[in-house]
Amino acid sequence: DDYVVFDNPIDMERASQDRKWIWIWRRIYKRDVLKHAPAVCIIVEKDNKFLLVKQLRYGIMEETLEVPAGLIDEAETPLDAANRELREETGLKAHKLELFYSLYPVPAYCDELVHFFYATDFTVDPLEQDEDEKIELVWYTIDDIKKELNKVNSSFDMKTIIAFQYYLLNIKK
């Protein structure tokens, strides 16, 4: 069934935790929706170079290059999460961290909201990494970033592509 027809909108209350029922023109369509914690990602720039995280992503069983990122813990602000994730993944503590963008990367089936930050002033102050993370840090020039953005099969994930495209269009002077 692509959709279920109900004569009474009250029947919409049949929705379960893992399904959404969407009322459109007297029809209710079933949709799977992934409930997801909000997240942060951080562009880290120092001396015209950008810090990326290389790590294995189990969904594709390949290594990706990404801006540092992670989930926002309960009762944590996006700014606090960005600071914590930066310290966990890179060992850097930001003194200047600016929110520059927020978006829903895949709103068709997921409610995750990602907040994008930009860090330019930081010191070394690591936190312990999550035990399941095996991370390699890599510095890229803006020319390296542009080359990777222009590859058909980029090693960048979607949030990293969006972050650097936004950077190139709006932040870079």
Side-chain angles (χ1 to χ4, degrees), residues 92-105:
L92 300 175
K93 180 179 180 180
H95 300 289
K96 185 176 180 186
L97 194 57
E98 298 175 48
L99 175 69
F100 67 86
Y101 199 61
S102 297
L103 67 78
Y104 294 96

Side-chain angles (χ1 to χ4, degrees), residues 140-158:
Y140 266 45
T141 65
I142 195 63
D143 288 336
D144 296 332
I145 298 288
K146 288 177 183 178
K147 285 177 190 170
E148 192 64 35
L149 285 172
N150 285 309
K151 287 183 180 177
V152 173
N153 291 316
S154 174
S155 296
F156 288 166
D157 70 336
M158 183 170 43

Side-chain angles (χ1 to χ4, degrees), residues 38-53:
V40 295
C41 64
I42 309 103
I43 289 179
V44 179
E45 183 178 9
K46 181 179 180 183
D47 301 327
N48 296 314
K49 291 189 177 176
F50 299 87
L51 186 58
L52 299 172
V53 171

Side-chain angles (χ1 to χ4, degrees), residues 7 24 52 68 75-76 94 109 113 133 160 169:
D7 291 327
I24 304 173
L52 299 172
E76 191 176 41
Y109 63 85
L113 177 62
E133 290 183 321
T160 303
L169 290 170

Side-chain angles (χ1 to χ4, degrees), residues 51-118:
L51 186 58
L52 299 172
V53 171
K54 182 189 273 190
Q55 62 183 329
L56 176 66
R57 287 304 193 181
Y58 296 100
I60 59 173
M61 290 308 291
E62 291 183 20
E63 285 187 331
T64 59
L65 284 169
E66 305 176 18
V67 291
L71 299 179
I72 298 174
D73 290 340
E74 195 171 318
E76 191 176 41
T77 67
L79 181 63
D80 291 339
N83 270 307
R84 176 184 49 75
E85 285 293 342
L86 191 60
R87 290 178 65 202
E88 284 177 3
E89 291 196 356
T90 70
L92 300 175
K93 180 179 180 180
H95 300 289
K96 185 176 180 186
L97 194 57
E98 298 175 48
L99 175 69
F100 67 86
Y101 199 61
S102 297
L103 67 78
Y104 294 96
V106 284
Y109 63 85
C110 182
D111 67 352
E112 178 186 28
L113 177 62
V114 179
H115 303 280
F116 293 74
F117 288 86
Y118 180 59

Side-chain angles (χ1 to χ4, degrees), residues 7-63:
D7 291 327
N8 185 342
I10 294 172
D11 289 336
M12 288 180 7
E13 303 217 0
R14 292 178 38 187
S16 66
Q17 284 187 333
D18 61 339
R19 280 250 185 242
K20 282 214 174 169
W21 300 84
I22 302 166
W23 180 261
I24 304 173
W25 295 99
R26 292 199 54 187
R27 291 183 175 164
I28 296 188
Y29 294 84
K30 294 184 283 188
R31 296 290 184 255
D32 291 317
V33 176
L34 176 62
K35 303 303 275 179
H36 200 286
V40 295
C41 64
I42 309 103
I43 289 179
V44 179
E45 183 178 9
K46 181 179 180 183
D47 301 327
N48 296 314
K49 291 189 177 176
F50 299 87
L51 186 58
L52 299 172
V53 171
K54 182 189 273 190
Q55 62 183 329
L56 176 66
R57 287 304 193 181
Y58 296 100
I60 59 173
M61 290 308 291
E62 291 183 20
E63 285 187 331

